[in-house]
PDB file of all heavy atoms in Angstrom:
ATOM      1  N   GLN A   1     -16.844  22.026  24.689  1.00 98.00           N
ATOM      2  CA  GLN A   1     -16.940  21.124  25.833  1.00 98.00           C
ATOM      3  C   GLN A   1     -16.206  19.813  25.566  1.00 98.00           C
ATOM      4  O   GLN A   1     -15.709  19.166  26.492  1.00 98.00           O
ATOM      5  CB  GLN A   1     -18.405  20.844  26.155  1.00 98.00           C
ATOM      6  CG  GLN A   1     -19.186  22.068  26.613  1.00 98.00           C
ATOM      7  CD  GLN A   1     -20.690  21.812  26.661  1.00 98.00           C
ATOM      8  OE1 GLN A   1     -21.136  20.671  26.670  1.00 98.00           O
ATOM      9  NE2 GLN A   1     -21.480  22.881  26.669  1.00 98.00           N
ATOM     10  N   GLN A   2     -16.119  19.449  24.290  1.00 98.00           N
ATOM     11  CA  GLN A   2     -15.456  18.204  23.909  1.00 98.00           C
ATOM     12  C   GLN A   2     -13.949  18.375  23.728  1.00 98.00           C
ATOM     13  O   GLN A   2     -13.247  17.391  23.490  1.00 98.00           O
ATOM     14  CB  GLN A   2     -16.079  17.651  22.638  1.00 98.00           C
ATOM     15  CG  GLN A   2     -17.542  17.243  22.798  1.00 98.00           C
ATOM     16  CD  GLN A   2     -18.185  16.870  21.479  1.00 98.00           C
ATOM     17  OE1 GLN A   2     -17.693  17.218  20.402  1.00 98.00           O
ATOM     18  NE2 GLN A   2     -19.295  16.153  21.547  1.00 98.00           N
ATOM     19  N   GLY A   3     -13.468  19.625  23.795  1.00 98.00           N
ATOM     20  CA  GLY A   3     -12.040  19.858  23.719  1.00 98.00           C
ATOM     21  C   GLY A   3     -11.522  20.511  22.458  1.00 98.00           C
ATOM     22  O   GLY A   3     -10.301  20.670  22.305  1.00 98.00           O
ATOM     23  N   VAL A   4     -12.414  20.904  21.550  1.00 98.00           N
ATOM     24  CA  VAL A   4     -11.961  21.636  20.368  1.00 98.00           C
ATOM     25  C   VAL A   4     -11.485  23.019  20.794  1.00 98.00           C
ATOM     26  O   VAL A   4     -12.119  23.685  21.621  1.00 98.00           O
ATOM     27  CB  VAL A   4     -13.088  21.754  19.320  1.00 98.00           C
ATOM     28  CG1 VAL A   4     -12.677  22.683  18.182  1.00 98.00           C
ATOM     29  CG2 VAL A   4     -13.449  20.382  18.776  1.00 98.00           C
ATOM     30  N   ARG A   5     -10.385  23.459  20.244  1.00 98.00           N
ATOM     31  CA  ARG A   5      -9.798  24.758  20.577  1.00 98.00           C
ATOM     32  C   ARG A   5     -10.133  25.758  19.470  1.00 98.00           C
ATOM     33  O   ARG A   5      -9.953  25.470  18.285  1.00 98.00           O
ATOM     34  CB  ARG A   5      -8.286  24.610  20.710  1.00 98.00           C
ATOM     35  CG  ARG A   5      -7.530  25.877  21.062  1.00 98.00           C
ATOM     36  CD  ARG A   5      -6.033  25.597  21.014  1.00 98.00           C
ATOM     37  NE  ARG A   5      -5.228  26.782  21.303  1.00 98.00           N
ATOM     38  CZ  ARG A   5      -3.991  26.955  20.867  1.00 98.00           C
ATOM     39  NH1 ARG A   5      -3.413  26.022  20.096  1.00 98.00           N
ATOM     40  NH2 ARG A   5      -3.305  28.034  21.178  1.00 98.00           N
ATOM     41  N   TYR A   6     -10.635  26.922  19.845  1.00 98.00           N
ATOM     42  CA  TYR A   6     -10.949  27.977  18.889  1.00 98.00           C
ATOM     43  C   TYR A   6     -10.021  29.165  19.102  1.00 98.00           C
ATOM     44  O   TYR A   6      -9.898  29.672  20.227  1.00 98.00           O
ATOM     45  CB  TYR A   6     -12.405  28.431  19.034  1.00 98.00           C
ATOM     46  CG  TYR A   6     -13.409  27.436  18.488  1.00 98.00           C
ATOM     47  CD1 TYR A   6     -13.870  26.381  19.284  1.00 98.00           C
ATOM     48  CD2 TYR A   6     -13.893  27.542  17.189  1.00 98.00           C
ATOM     49  CE1 TYR A   6     -14.782  25.460  18.794  1.00 98.00           C
ATOM     50  CE2 TYR A   6     -14.810  26.626  16.689  1.00 98.00           C
ATOM     51  CZ  TYR A   6     -15.251  25.590  17.494  1.00 98.00           C
ATOM     52  OH  TYR A   6     -16.148  24.683  17.000  1.00 98.00           O
ATOM     53  N   LEU A   7      -9.382  29.611  18.043  1.00 98.00           N
ATOM     54  CA  LEU A   7      -8.550  30.816  18.081  1.00 98.00           C
ATOM     55  C   LEU A   7      -9.298  31.910  17.327  1.00 98.00           C
ATOM     56  O   LEU A   7      -9.207  32.028  16.097  1.00 98.00           O
ATOM     57  CB  LEU A   7      -7.188  30.541  17.432  1.00 98.00           C
ATOM     58  CG  LEU A   7      -6.333  29.431  18.057  1.00 98.00           C
ATOM     59  CD1 LEU A   7      -5.022  29.278  17.294  1.00 98.00           C
ATOM     60  CD2 LEU A   7      -6.058  29.727  19.528  1.00 98.00           C
ATOM     61  N   PHE A   8     -10.077  32.703  18.063  1.00 98.00           N
ATOM     62  CA  PHE A   8     -10.838  33.794  17.454  1.00 98.00           C
ATOM     63  C   PHE A   8      -9.989  35.063  17.375  1.00 98.00           C
ATOM     64  O   PHE A   8      -8.921  35.152  17.981  1.00 98.00           O
ATOM     65  CB  PHE A   8     -12.115  34.056  18.249  1.00 98.00           C
ATOM     66  CG  PHE A   8     -13.121  32.935  18.176  1.00 98.00           C
ATOM     67  CD1 PHE A   8     -13.584  32.308  19.330  1.00 98.00           C
ATOM     68  CD2 PHE A   8     -13.609  32.506  16.950  1.00 98.00           C
ATOM     69  CE1 PHE A   8     -14.511  31.278  19.267  1.00 98.00           C
ATOM     70  CE2 PHE A   8     -14.539  31.477  16.871  1.00 98.00           C
ATOM     71  CZ  PHE A   8     -14.997  30.865  18.033  1.00 98.00           C
ATOM     72  N   ASN A   9     -10.496  36.046  16.626  1.00 98.00           N
ATOM     73  CA  ASN A   9      -9.763  37.311  16.429  1.00 98.00           C
ATOM     74  C   ASN A   9      -8.332  37.040  15.959  1.00 98.00           C
ATOM     75  O   ASN A   9      -7.387  37.747  16.340  1.00 98.00           O
ATOM     76  CB  ASN A   9      -9.747  38.134  17.722  1.00 98.00           C
ATOM     77  CG  ASN A   9     -11.140  38.483  18.198  1.00 98.00           C
ATOM     78  OD1 ASN A   9     -11.912  39.108  17.476  1.00 98.00           O
ATOM     79  ND2 ASN A   9     -11.477  38.055  19.414  1.00 98.00           N
ATOM     80  N   THR A  10      -8.188  36.028  15.130  1.00 98.00           N
ATOM     81  CA  THR A  10      -6.867  35.573  14.694  1.00 98.00           C
ATOM     82  C   THR A  10      -6.782  35.645  13.171  1.00 98.00           C
ATOM     83  O   THR A  10      -7.568  34.996  12.469  1.00 98.00           O
ATOM     84  CB  THR A  10      -6.614  34.129  15.174  1.00 98.00           C
ATOM     85  OG1 THR A  10      -6.714  34.092  16.604  1.00 98.00           O
ATOM     86  CG2 THR A  10      -5.243  33.652  14.752  1.00 98.00           C
ATOM     87  N   HIS A  11      -5.845  36.432  12.683  1.00 98.00           N
ATOM     88  CA  HIS A  11      -5.722  36.655  11.240  1.00 98.00           C
ATOM     89  C   HIS A  11      -4.580  35.823  10.661  1.00 98.00           C
ATOM     90  O   HIS A  11      -3.462  35.822  11.184  1.00 98.00           O
ATOM     91  CB  HIS A  11      -5.484  38.135  10.952  1.00 98.00           C
ATOM     92  CG  HIS A  11      -6.641  39.004  11.309  1.00 98.00           C
ATOM     93  ND1 HIS A  11      -7.548  39.469  10.383  1.00 98.00           N
ATOM     94  CD2 HIS A  11      -7.075  39.485  12.514  1.00 98.00           C
ATOM     95  CE1 HIS A  11      -8.474  40.199  10.987  1.00 98.00           C
ATOM     96  NE2 HIS A  11      -8.201  40.219  12.280  1.00 98.00           N
ATOM     97  N   ILE A  12      -4.877  35.134   9.570  1.00 98.00           N
ATOM     98  CA  ILE A  12      -3.880  34.294   8.904  1.00 98.00           C
ATOM     99  C   ILE A  12      -3.102  35.135   7.893  1.00 98.00           C
ATOM    100  O   ILE A  12      -3.704  35.820   7.047  1.00 98.00           O
ATOM    101  CB  ILE A  12      -4.558  33.106   8.200  1.00 98.00           C
ATOM    102  CG1 ILE A  12      -5.309  32.249   9.219  1.00 98.00           C
ATOM    103  CG2 ILE A  12      -3.532  32.268   7.437  1.00 98.00           C
ATOM    104  CD1 ILE A  12      -6.264  31.251   8.600  1.00 98.00           C
ATOM    105  N   GLN A  13      -1.787  35.076   7.970  1.00 97.00           N
ATOM    106  CA  GLN A  13      -0.936  35.810   7.038  1.00 97.00           C
ATOM    107  C   GLN A  13      -0.615  34.979   5.803  1.00 97.00           C
ATOM    108  O   GLN A  13      -0.772  35.427   4.675  1.00 97.00           O
ATOM    109  CB  GLN A  13       0.374  36.224   7.728  1.00 97.00           C
ATOM    110  CG  GLN A  13       1.334  37.011   6.846  1.00 97.00           C
ATOM    111  CD  GLN A  13       0.808  38.396   6.514  1.00 97.00           C
ATOM    112  OE1 GLN A  13       0.139  39.036   7.328  1.00 97.00           O
ATOM    113  NE2 GLN A  13       1.071  38.857   5.300  1.00 97.00           N
ATOM    114  N   THR A  14      -0.157  33.751   6.016  1.00 98.00           N
ATOM    115  CA  THR A  14       0.220  32.906   4.891  1.00 98.00           C
ATOM    116  C   THR A  14       0.273  31.455   5.344  1.00 98.00           C
ATOM    117  O   THR A  14       0.050  31.126   6.521  1.00 98.00           O
ATOM    118  CB  THR A  14       1.581  33.339   4.301  1.00 98.00           C
ATOM    119  OG1 THR A  14       1.799  32.660   3.060  1.00 98.00           O
ATOM    120  CG2 THR A  14       2.719  33.037   5.258  1.00 98.00           C
ATOM    121  N   ILE A  15       0.570  30.575   4.396  1.00 98.00           N
ATOM    122  CA  ILE A  15       0.716  29.148   4.674  1.00 98.00           C
ATOM    123  C   ILE A  15       2.118  28.731   4.258  1.00 98.00           C
ATOM    124  O   ILE A  15       2.553  29.008   3.137  1.00 98.00           O
ATOM    125  CB  ILE A  15      -0.336  28.328   3.889  1.00 98.00           C
ATOM    126  CG1 ILE A  15      -1.756  28.766   4.257  1.00 98.00           C
ATOM    127  CG2 ILE A  15      -0.154  26.835   4.149  1.00 98.00           C
ATOM    128  CD1 ILE A  15      -2.839  28.122   3.410  1.00 98.00           C
ATOM    129  N   GLU A  16       2.837  28.080   5.158  1.00 98.00           N
ATOM    130  CA  GLU A  16       4.177  27.594   4.834  1.00 98.00           C
ATOM    131  C   GLU A  16       4.101  26.155   4.331  1.00 98.00           C
ATOM    132  O   GLU A  16       3.338  25.338   4.859  1.00 98.00           O
ATOM    133  CB  GLU A  16       5.093  27.659   6.058  1.00 98.00           C
ATOM    134  CG  GLU A  16       5.567  29.058   6.393  1.00 98.00           C
ATOM    135  CD  GLU A  16       6.658  29.053   7.459  1.00 98.00           C
ATOM    136  OE1 GLU A  16       6.930  27.975   8.054  1.00 98.00           O
ATOM    137  OE2 GLU A  16       7.239  30.127   7.705  1.00 98.00           O
ATOM    138  N   THR A  17       4.900  25.863   3.311  1.00 98.00           N
ATOM    139  CA  THR A  17       4.889  24.528   2.731  1.00 98.00           C
ATOM    140  C   THR A  17       6.309  23.982   2.580  1.00 98.00           C
ATOM    141  O   THR A  17       7.285  24.733   2.537  1.00 98.00           O
ATOM    142  CB  THR A  17       4.233  24.537   1.340  1.00 98.00           C
ATOM    143  OG1 THR A  17       5.041  25.316   0.443  1.00 98.00           O
ATOM    144  CG2 THR A  17       2.831  25.110   1.386  1.00 98.00           C
ATOM    145  N   THR A  18       6.380  22.657   2.489  1.00 95.00           N
ATOM    146  CA  THR A  18       7.593  21.992   2.003  1.00 95.00           C
ATOM    147  C   THR A  18       7.241  21.481   0.606  1.00 95.00           C
ATOM    148  O   THR A  18       6.275  21.945  -0.004  1.00 95.00           O
ATOM    149  CB  THR A  18       7.993  20.830   2.924  1.00 95.00           C
ATOM    150  OG1 THR A  18       6.909  19.881   2.980  1.00 95.00           O
ATOM    151  CG2 THR A  18       8.268  21.337   4.329  1.00 95.00           C
ATOM    152  N   THR A  19       7.974  20.554   0.101  1.00 93.00           N
ATOM    153  CA  THR A  19       7.727  20.081  -1.265  1.00 93.00           C
ATOM    154  C   THR A  19       6.320  19.535  -1.457  1.00 93.00           C
ATOM    155  O   THR A  19       5.640  19.846  -2.439  1.00 93.00           O
ATOM    156  CB  THR A  19       8.747  18.983  -1.645  1.00 93.00           C
ATOM    157  OG1 THR A  19      10.059  19.502  -1.484  1.00 93.00           O
ATOM    158  CG2 THR A  19       8.545  18.544  -3.090  1.00 93.00           C
ATOM    159  N   ASP A  20       5.860  18.736  -0.514  1.00 96.00           N
ATOM    160  CA  ASP A  20       4.583  18.048  -0.726  1.00 96.00           C
ATOM    161  C   ASP A  20       3.622  18.133   0.453  1.00 96.00           C
ATOM    162  O   ASP A  20       2.635  17.409   0.502  1.00 96.00           O
ATOM    163  CB  ASP A  20       4.835  16.577  -1.061  1.00 96.00           C
ATOM    164  CG  ASP A  20       5.525  15.825   0.081  1.00 96.00           C
ATOM    165  OD1 ASP A  20       5.975  16.485   1.039  1.00 96.00           O
ATOM    166  OD2 ASP A  20       5.592  14.584   0.000  1.00 96.00           O
ATOM    167  N   GLN A  21       3.889  19.042   1.408  1.00 98.00           N
ATOM    168  CA  GLN A  21       2.949  19.159   2.514  1.00 98.00           C
ATOM    169  C   GLN A  21       2.996  20.544   3.154  1.00 98.00           C
ATOM    170  O   GLN A  21       3.915  21.325   2.917  1.00 98.00           O
ATOM    171  CB  GLN A  21       3.204  18.081   3.555  1.00 98.00           C
ATOM    172  CG  GLN A  21       4.527  18.171   4.280  1.00 98.00           C
ATOM    173  CD  GLN A  21       4.684  17.049   5.302  1.00 98.00           C
ATOM    174  OE1 GLN A  21       3.839  16.172   5.428  1.00 98.00           O
ATOM    175  NE2 GLN A  21       5.783  17.072   6.041  1.00 98.00           N
ATOM    176  N   ILE A  22       1.985  20.816   3.961  1.00 98.00           N
ATOM    177  CA  ILE A  22       1.924  22.063   4.722  1.00 98.00           C
ATOM    178  C   ILE A  22       2.749  21.888   5.991  1.00 98.00           C
ATOM    179  O   ILE A  22       2.646  20.864   6.675  1.00 98.00           O
ATOM    180  CB  ILE A  22       0.463  22.401   5.085  1.00 98.00           C
ATOM    181  CG1 ILE A  22      -0.420  22.425   3.839  1.00 98.00           C
ATOM    182  CG2 ILE A  22       0.394  23.735   5.828  1.00 98.00           C
ATOM    183  CD1 ILE A  22       0.007  23.389   2.776  1.00 98.00           C
ATOM    184  N   SER A  23       3.548  22.905   6.304  1.00 98.00           N
ATOM    185  CA  SER A  23       4.374  22.816   7.513  1.00 98.00           C
ATOM    186  C   SER A  23       3.862  23.708   8.638  1.00 98.00           C
ATOM    187  O   SER A  23       4.087  23.413   9.815  1.00 98.00           O
ATOM    188  CB  SER A  23       5.826  23.175   7.193  1.00 98.00           C
ATOM    189  OG  SER A  23       5.918  24.467   6.613  1.00 98.00           O
ATOM    190  N   ALA A  24       3.168  24.816   8.280  1.00 98.00           N
ATOM    191  CA  ALA A  24       2.668  25.708   9.337  1.00 98.00           C
ATOM    192  C   ALA A  24       1.688  26.729   8.762  1.00 98.00           C
ATOM    193  O   ALA A  24       1.728  27.058   7.568  1.00 98.00           O
ATOM    194  CB  ALA A  24       3.824  26.436  10.018  1.00 98.00           C
ATOM    195  N   ILE A  25       0.827  27.234   9.635  1.00 98.00           N
ATOM    196  CA  ILE A  25      -0.010  28.402   9.340  1.00 98.00           C
ATOM    197  C   ILE A  25       0.635  29.587  10.042  1.00 98.00           C
ATOM    198  O   ILE A  25       0.858  29.551  11.258  1.00 98.00           O
ATOM    199  CB  ILE A  25      -1.450  28.209   9.860  1.00 98.00           C
ATOM    200  CG1 ILE A  25      -2.075  26.944   9.256  1.00 98.00           C
ATOM    201  CG2 ILE A  25      -2.291  29.440   9.548  1.00 98.00           C
ATOM    202  CD1 ILE A  25      -2.181  26.947   7.750  1.00 98.00           C
ATOM    203  N   VAL A  26       0.958  30.618   9.284  1.00 98.00           N
ATOM    204  CA  VAL A  26       1.619  31.793   9.838  1.00 98.00           C
ATOM    205  C   VAL A  26       0.576  32.878  10.091  1.00 98.00           C
ATOM    206  O   VAL A  26      -0.143  33.299   9.171  1.00 98.00           O
ATOM    207  CB  VAL A  26       2.716  32.319   8.895  1.00 98.00           C
ATOM    208  CG1 VAL A  26       3.426  33.510   9.539  1.00 98.00           C
ATOM    209  CG2 VAL A  26       3.715  31.217   8.547  1.00 98.00           C
ATOM    210  N   LEU A  27       0.476  33.323  11.340  1.00 98.00           N
ATOM    211  CA  LEU A  27      -0.472  34.369  11.699  1.00 98.00           C
ATOM    212  C   LEU A  27       0.140  35.743  11.464  1.00 98.00           C
ATOM    213  O   LEU A  27       1.360  35.881  11.306  1.00 98.00           O
ATOM    214  CB  LEU A  27      -0.888  34.205  13.157  1.00 98.00           C
ATOM    215  CG  LEU A  27      -1.415  32.813  13.543  1.00 98.00           C
ATOM    216  CD1 LEU A  27      -1.817  32.793  15.010  1.00 98.00           C
ATOM    217  CD2 LEU A  27      -2.583  32.405  12.650  1.00 98.00           C
ATOM    218  N   LYS A  28      -0.689  36.775  11.458  1.00 96.00           N
ATOM    219  CA  LYS A  28      -0.211  38.125  11.134  1.00 96.00           C
ATOM    220  C   LYS A  28       0.825  38.634  12.108  1.00 96.00           C
ATOM    221  O   LYS A  28       1.719  39.391  11.734  1.00 96.00           O
ATOM    222  CB  LYS A  28      -1.396  39.096  11.041  1.00 96.00           C
ATOM    223  CG  LYS A  28      -2.108  39.034   9.703  1.00 96.00           C
ATOM    224  CD  LYS A  28      -2.933  40.262   9.432  1.00 96.00           C
ATOM    225  CE  LYS A  28      -3.456  40.241   7.991  1.00 96.00           C
ATOM    226  NZ  LYS A  28      -4.330  41.400   7.699  1.00 96.00           N
ATOM    227  N   GLU A  29       0.719  38.218  13.371  1.00 93.00           N
ATOM    228  CA  GLU A  29       1.706  38.680  14.353  1.00 93.00           C
ATOM    229  C   GLU A  29       2.995  37.866  14.301  1.00 93.00           C
ATOM    230  O   GLU A  29       3.919  38.114  15.076  1.00 93.00           O
ATOM    231  CB  GLU A  29       1.114  38.643  15.765  1.00 93.00           C
ATOM    232  CG  GLU A  29       0.798  37.265  16.307  1.00 93.00           C
ATOM    233  CD  GLU A  29      -0.615  36.802  15.970  1.00 93.00           C
ATOM    234  OE1 GLU A  29      -1.205  37.337  15.000  1.00 93.00           O
ATOM    235  OE2 GLU A  29      -1.125  35.918  16.678  1.00 93.00           O
ATOM    236  N   GLY A  30       3.035  36.888  13.379  1.00 95.00           N
ATOM    237  CA  GLY A  30       4.252  36.104  13.207  1.00 95.00           C
ATOM    238  C   GLY A  30       4.247  34.736  13.855  1.00 95.00           C
ATOM    239  O   GLY A  30       5.114  33.915  13.592  1.00 95.00           O
ATOM    240  N   THR A  31       3.257  34.484  14.706  1.00 97.00           N
ATOM    241  CA  THR A  31       3.146  33.175  15.356  1.00 97.00           C
ATOM    242  C   THR A  31       2.854  32.088  14.323  1.00 97.00           C
ATOM    243  O   THR A  31       2.132  32.325  13.349  1.00 97.00           O
ATOM    244  CB  THR A  31       2.013  33.189  16.404  1.00 97.00           C
ATOM    245  OG1 THR A  31       2.251  34.240  17.326  1.00 97.00           O
ATOM    246  CG2 THR A  31       1.933  31.859  17.148  1.00 97.00           C
TER     247      THR A  31
END
């Protein structure tokens, strides 16, 4: 109700990084 977004039934494949930070969360379908 406050605006938090939930992505259910969503599988994480990997985490993309640069030298010192996270750049993206990669889902199994490639998103």
Side-chain angles (χ1 to χ4, degrees):
Q1 295 169 18
Q2 296 172 341
V4 172
R5 180 186 178 206
Y6 286 86
L7 300 180
F8 292 123
N9 300 302
T10 302
H11 294 260
I12 300 167
Q13 181 69 35
T14 191
I15 301 173
E16 284 190 351
T17 65
T18 59
T19 304
D20 63 350
Q21 66 180 3
I22 306 302
S23 57
I25 303 299
V26 183
L27 307 181
K28 279 200 172 177
E29 66 270 21
T31 304

